[in-house]
Short mmCIF file of all heavy atoms in Angstrom, two decimals:
data_model
loop_
_atom_site.label_atom_id
_atom_site.label_comp_id
_atom_site.label_asym_id
_atom_site.label_seq_id
_atom_site.Cartn_x
_atom_site.Cartn_y
_atom_site.Cartn_z
N VAL C 1 42.12 -7.53 -60.62
CA VAL C 1 42.73 -8.87 -60.33
C VAL C 1 42.42 -9.17 -58.86
O VAL C 1 42.78 -8.39 -58.02
CB VAL C 1 44.26 -8.77 -60.60
CG1 VAL C 1 44.86 -10.08 -60.19
CG2 VAL C 1 44.57 -8.42 -61.97
N ARG C 2 41.95 -10.34 -58.67
CA ARG C 2 41.72 -10.79 -57.24
C ARG C 2 42.26 -12.21 -57.17
O ARG C 2 41.86 -13.10 -57.95
CB ARG C 2 40.21 -10.84 -56.94
CG ARG C 2 39.60 -9.44 -56.94
CD ARG C 2 38.22 -9.37 -56.25
NE ARG C 2 38.36 -9.52 -54.87
CZ ARG C 2 37.35 -9.50 -54.02
NH1 ARG C 2 36.08 -9.54 -54.47
NH2 ARG C 2 37.54 -9.74 -52.69
N ARG C 3 43.22 -12.43 -56.25
CA ARG C 3 43.89 -13.71 -56.24
C ARG C 3 43.42 -14.54 -55.06
O ARG C 3 43.08 -14.02 -53.89
CB ARG C 3 45.39 -13.48 -56.11
CG ARG C 3 45.94 -12.78 -57.40
CD ARG C 3 47.38 -12.88 -57.51
NE ARG C 3 47.94 -12.27 -58.65
CZ ARG C 3 48.01 -12.83 -59.89
NH1 ARG C 3 47.66 -14.11 -59.97
NH2 ARG C 3 48.49 -12.21 -60.94
N ASN C 4 43.47 -15.80 -55.27
CA ASN C 4 43.19 -16.85 -54.26
C ASN C 4 41.89 -16.59 -53.52
O ASN C 4 41.88 -16.56 -52.26
CB ASN C 4 44.32 -16.99 -53.35
CG ASN C 4 44.37 -18.33 -52.52
OD1 ASN C 4 43.76 -19.26 -52.96
ND2 ASN C 4 44.93 -18.34 -51.44
N ILE C 5 40.80 -16.32 -54.24
CA ILE C 5 39.54 -16.22 -53.65
C ILE C 5 38.73 -17.48 -53.55
O ILE C 5 39.00 -18.43 -54.45
CB ILE C 5 38.66 -15.04 -54.30
CG1 ILE C 5 38.23 -15.57 -55.66
CG2 ILE C 5 39.47 -13.84 -54.39
CD1 ILE C 5 37.09 -14.67 -56.26
N THR C 6 37.80 -17.62 -52.70
CA THR C 6 37.11 -18.85 -52.53
C THR C 6 35.67 -18.70 -53.19
O THR C 6 34.90 -17.74 -52.99
CB THR C 6 36.84 -19.11 -51.09
OG1 THR C 6 38.14 -19.25 -50.44
CG2 THR C 6 36.09 -20.43 -50.87
N LEU C 7 35.31 -19.73 -54.07
CA LEU C 7 34.16 -19.80 -54.70
C LEU C 7 33.38 -21.01 -54.17
O LEU C 7 33.91 -22.13 -54.09
CB LEU C 7 34.13 -19.83 -56.16
CG LEU C 7 34.89 -18.71 -56.94
CD1 LEU C 7 34.91 -18.96 -58.36
CD2 LEU C 7 34.17 -17.30 -56.60
N PHE C 8 32.03 -20.86 -53.89
CA PHE C 8 31.27 -22.02 -53.51
C PHE C 8 30.32 -22.40 -54.58
O PHE C 8 29.44 -21.62 -54.97
CB PHE C 8 30.38 -21.75 -52.18
CG PHE C 8 31.28 -21.31 -51.03
CD1 PHE C 8 31.73 -20.02 -50.74
CD2 PHE C 8 31.80 -22.43 -50.18
CE1 PHE C 8 32.49 -19.76 -49.67
CE2 PHE C 8 32.61 -22.06 -49.19
CZ PHE C 8 33.00 -20.78 -48.88
N LEU C 9 30.39 -23.53 -55.18
CA LEU C 9 29.72 -23.95 -56.36
C LEU C 9 28.25 -24.41 -55.91
O LEU C 9 28.01 -24.63 -54.68
CB LEU C 9 30.40 -25.07 -57.04
CG LEU C 9 31.88 -24.87 -57.41
CD1 LEU C 9 32.37 -26.05 -58.26
CD2 LEU C 9 32.02 -23.57 -58.10
N VAL C 10 27.35 -24.54 -56.89
CA VAL C 10 26.04 -24.88 -56.59
C VAL C 10 25.95 -26.22 -56.00
O VAL C 10 25.07 -26.50 -55.20
CB VAL C 10 25.20 -24.78 -57.89
CG1 VAL C 10 23.82 -25.29 -57.69
CG2 VAL C 10 25.10 -23.34 -58.36
N ASN C 11 26.91 -27.19 -56.38
CA ASN C 11 26.91 -28.52 -55.83
C ASN C 11 27.47 -28.66 -54.50
O ASN C 11 27.62 -29.72 -53.95
CB ASN C 11 27.54 -29.50 -56.77
CG ASN C 11 29.15 -29.11 -56.97
OD1 ASN C 11 29.64 -28.28 -56.28
ND2 ASN C 11 29.75 -29.93 -57.74
N GLY C 12 27.90 -27.45 -53.82
CA GLY C 12 28.47 -27.46 -52.60
C GLY C 12 29.99 -27.50 -52.50
O GLY C 12 30.60 -27.28 -51.34
N GLN C 13 30.61 -27.80 -53.60
CA GLN C 13 32.08 -27.87 -53.56
C GLN C 13 32.62 -26.54 -53.44
O GLN C 13 32.18 -25.47 -53.84
CB GLN C 13 32.52 -28.47 -55.03
CG GLN C 13 34.03 -28.77 -55.01
CD GLN C 13 34.45 -29.37 -56.35
OE1 GLN C 13 33.62 -29.90 -57.08
NE2 GLN C 13 35.74 -29.27 -56.67
N GLU C 14 33.85 -26.47 -52.77
CA GLU C 14 34.62 -25.24 -52.62
C GLU C 14 35.83 -25.30 -53.51
O GLU C 14 36.62 -26.21 -53.42
CB GLU C 14 34.93 -25.10 -51.09
CG GLU C 14 35.76 -23.87 -50.74
CD GLU C 14 36.19 -23.90 -49.23
OE1 GLU C 14 35.30 -24.25 -48.49
OE2 GLU C 14 37.34 -23.58 -49.00
N ILE C 15 36.05 -24.09 -54.20
CA ILE C 15 37.32 -24.09 -55.04
C ILE C 15 38.04 -22.75 -54.78
O ILE C 15 37.46 -21.69 -54.34
CB ILE C 15 37.09 -24.27 -56.50
CG1 ILE C 15 36.16 -23.15 -57.04
CG2 ILE C 15 36.45 -25.66 -56.82
CD1 ILE C 15 36.00 -23.15 -58.56
N HIS C 16 39.32 -22.72 -55.09
CA HIS C 16 40.14 -21.50 -54.89
C HIS C 16 40.61 -21.04 -56.22
O HIS C 16 41.26 -21.91 -56.95
CB HIS C 16 41.23 -21.72 -53.87
CG HIS C 16 40.76 -22.23 -52.64
ND1 HIS C 16 40.28 -21.34 -51.58
CD2 HIS C 16 40.62 -23.51 -52.04
CE1 HIS C 16 39.85 -22.14 -50.62
NE2 HIS C 16 40.13 -23.34 -50.85
N VAL C 17 40.40 -19.78 -56.56
CA VAL C 17 40.77 -19.31 -57.95
C VAL C 17 41.32 -17.94 -57.93
O VAL C 17 41.19 -17.22 -56.87
CB VAL C 17 39.48 -19.25 -58.86
CG1 VAL C 17 38.80 -20.63 -58.92
CG2 VAL C 17 38.46 -18.20 -58.34
N ASP C 18 41.99 -17.64 -59.00
CA ASP C 18 42.40 -16.20 -59.35
C ASP C 18 41.41 -15.65 -60.33
O ASP C 18 41.05 -16.36 -61.30
CB ASP C 18 43.81 -16.15 -59.94
CG ASP C 18 44.89 -16.55 -58.89
OD1 ASP C 18 44.58 -16.36 -57.61
OD2 ASP C 18 46.02 -16.81 -59.24
N LEU C 19 40.83 -14.49 -60.14
CA LEU C 19 39.79 -13.92 -60.95
C LEU C 19 40.45 -12.65 -61.63
O LEU C 19 41.00 -11.79 -60.95
CB LEU C 19 38.48 -13.53 -60.24
CG LEU C 19 37.45 -14.57 -59.98
CD1 LEU C 19 36.29 -13.94 -59.28
CD2 LEU C 19 37.11 -15.32 -61.24
N PHE C 20 40.30 -12.58 -63.00
CA PHE C 20 40.68 -11.41 -63.70
C PHE C 20 39.58 -10.83 -64.46
O PHE C 20 38.88 -11.59 -65.18
CB PHE C 20 41.86 -11.71 -64.64
CG PHE C 20 42.99 -12.43 -64.03
CD1 PHE C 20 43.01 -13.80 -63.80
CD2 PHE C 20 44.15 -11.74 -63.60
CE1 PHE C 20 44.08 -14.49 -63.23
CE2 PHE C 20 45.23 -12.42 -62.94
CZ PHE C 20 45.18 -13.86 -62.81
N THR C 21 39.18 -9.57 -64.38
CA THR C 21 38.09 -8.96 -65.15
C THR C 21 38.62 -7.82 -65.98
O THR C 21 39.38 -7.06 -65.54
CB THR C 21 36.94 -8.54 -64.23
OG1 THR C 21 37.44 -7.39 -63.46
CG2 THR C 21 36.59 -9.61 -63.31
N SER C 22 38.03 -7.76 -67.22
CA SER C 22 38.34 -6.70 -68.11
C SER C 22 37.09 -6.22 -68.84
O SER C 22 36.27 -7.04 -69.26
CB SER C 22 39.39 -7.17 -69.14
OG SER C 22 40.60 -7.61 -68.49
N PRO C 23 36.88 -4.92 -68.96
CA PRO C 23 35.69 -4.38 -69.65
C PRO C 23 35.85 -4.64 -71.13
O PRO C 23 37.00 -4.50 -71.76
CB PRO C 23 35.78 -2.87 -69.29
CG PRO C 23 37.14 -2.55 -68.98
CD PRO C 23 37.81 -3.84 -68.53
N LEU C 24 34.71 -4.90 -71.81
CA LEU C 24 34.64 -4.96 -73.21
C LEU C 24 34.27 -3.66 -73.89
O LEU C 24 33.29 -2.98 -73.32
CB LEU C 24 33.69 -6.08 -73.73
CG LEU C 24 34.01 -7.51 -73.50
CD1 LEU C 24 32.89 -8.41 -73.85
CD2 LEU C 24 35.27 -7.84 -74.31
N THR C 25 34.98 -3.29 -74.89
CA THR C 25 34.61 -1.94 -75.57
C THR C 25 33.71 -2.28 -76.67
O THR C 25 33.66 -3.32 -77.26
CB THR C 25 35.88 -1.27 -76.05
OG1 THR C 25 36.49 -2.04 -77.10
CG2 THR C 25 36.84 -1.05 -74.82
N PRO C 26 32.95 -1.18 -77.17
CA PRO C 26 32.06 -1.47 -78.37
C PRO C 26 32.75 -2.11 -79.54
O PRO C 26 32.19 -2.79 -80.25
CB PRO C 26 31.56 -0.05 -78.55
CG PRO C 26 31.63 0.57 -77.29
CD PRO C 26 32.82 0.18 -76.58
N GLY C 27 34.00 -1.73 -79.75
CA GLY C 27 34.72 -2.26 -80.91
C GLY C 27 35.15 -3.73 -80.74
O GLY C 27 35.44 -4.40 -81.62
N GLU C 28 34.83 -4.30 -79.52
CA GLU C 28 35.11 -5.72 -79.36
C GLU C 28 33.83 -6.57 -79.32
O GLU C 28 33.77 -7.67 -78.83
CB GLU C 28 35.86 -5.95 -77.90
CG GLU C 28 37.24 -5.29 -77.94
CD GLU C 28 37.90 -5.35 -76.60
OE1 GLU C 28 37.15 -5.09 -75.66
OE2 GLU C 28 39.07 -5.53 -76.55
N GLY C 29 32.81 -6.04 -79.85
CA GLY C 29 31.55 -6.82 -79.87
C GLY C 29 30.47 -6.31 -78.91
O GLY C 29 29.53 -7.02 -78.72
N GLY C 30 30.44 -5.14 -78.47
CA GLY C 30 29.62 -4.64 -77.52
C GLY C 30 30.08 -4.48 -76.13
O GLY C 30 31.02 -5.12 -75.78
N THR C 31 29.45 -3.55 -75.31
CA THR C 31 29.95 -3.31 -74.08
C THR C 31 29.60 -4.57 -73.17
O THR C 31 28.69 -5.23 -73.37
CB THR C 31 29.38 -2.01 -73.46
OG1 THR C 31 27.90 -2.24 -73.53
CG2 THR C 31 29.71 -0.84 -74.22
N GLY C 32 30.41 -4.70 -72.12
CA GLY C 32 30.20 -5.85 -71.16
C GLY C 32 31.42 -6.12 -70.47
O GLY C 32 32.22 -5.19 -70.16
N LEU C 33 31.63 -7.37 -70.12
CA LEU C 33 32.73 -7.77 -69.27
C LEU C 33 33.22 -9.15 -69.63
O LEU C 33 32.35 -9.98 -69.92
CB LEU C 33 32.28 -7.75 -67.78
CG LEU C 33 33.34 -7.73 -66.60
CD1 LEU C 33 34.07 -6.44 -66.55
CD2 LEU C 33 32.56 -7.98 -65.31
N ILE C 34 34.53 -9.26 -69.54
CA ILE C 34 35.11 -10.63 -69.78
C ILE C 34 35.85 -11.07 -68.45
O ILE C 34 36.62 -10.24 -67.87
CB ILE C 34 36.09 -10.65 -70.95
CG1 ILE C 34 36.62 -12.06 -71.14
CG2 ILE C 34 37.31 -9.76 -70.75
CD1 ILE C 34 37.37 -12.26 -72.54
N ILE C 35 35.53 -12.23 -68.03
CA ILE C 35 36.02 -12.78 -66.81
C ILE C 35 37.01 -13.97 -67.04
O ILE C 35 36.59 -14.86 -67.73
CB ILE C 35 34.93 -13.08 -65.77
CG1 ILE C 35 33.98 -11.96 -65.48
CG2 ILE C 35 35.48 -13.70 -64.52
CD1 ILE C 35 32.75 -12.31 -64.79
N GLU C 36 38.16 -13.93 -66.49
CA GLU C 36 39.08 -15.05 -66.66
C GLU C 36 39.25 -15.69 -65.25
O GLU C 36 39.44 -15.00 -64.32
CB GLU C 36 40.45 -14.55 -67.14
CG GLU C 36 41.50 -15.61 -67.33
CD GLU C 36 42.84 -15.12 -67.74
OE1 GLU C 36 42.90 -13.92 -68.07
OE2 GLU C 36 43.81 -15.76 -67.64
N ILE C 37 39.04 -16.94 -65.29
CA ILE C 37 39.09 -17.73 -63.97
C ILE C 37 40.24 -18.82 -64.15
O ILE C 37 40.25 -19.62 -64.95
CB ILE C 37 37.69 -18.44 -63.63
CG1 ILE C 37 36.56 -17.53 -63.82
CG2 ILE C 37 37.79 -19.08 -62.29
CD1 ILE C 37 35.24 -18.22 -63.75
N GLN C 38 41.19 -18.67 -63.22
CA GLN C 38 42.26 -19.65 -63.18
C GLN C 38 42.25 -20.29 -61.80
O GLN C 38 42.34 -19.74 -60.83
CB GLN C 38 43.63 -18.95 -63.35
CG GLN C 38 44.76 -19.89 -63.67
CD GLN C 38 46.06 -19.10 -64.18
OE1 GLN C 38 46.68 -18.45 -63.33
NE2 GLN C 38 46.28 -19.04 -65.37
N ALA C 39 42.19 -21.63 -61.89
CA ALA C 39 42.07 -22.42 -60.61
C ALA C 39 43.43 -22.62 -59.95
O ALA C 39 44.35 -23.09 -60.52
CB ALA C 39 41.55 -23.88 -60.86
#
């Protein structure tokens, strides 16, 4: 969990978000990562 971080978009805009990341297990459709972004 990372809160109130700054992201710079490709169009130059700056936004502030909370980021939540969780690993995906093989039983959930393959290994990988799910990222939740809340503005």
Side-chain angles (χ1 to χ4, degrees):
V1 178
R2 300 194 69 183
R3 295 194 179 276
N4 200 22
I5 70 170
T6 303
L7 299 181
F8 298 93
L9 308 186
V10 175
N11 65 2
Q13 184 179 342
E14 175 184 324
I15 62 172
H16 303 278
V17 303
D18 291 338
L19 278 184
F20 308 85
T21 67
S22 302
L24 286 173
T25 65
E28 294 173 324
T31 57
L33 195 67
I34 183 167
I35 303 173
E36 180 183 348
I37 310 173
Q38 193 169 76

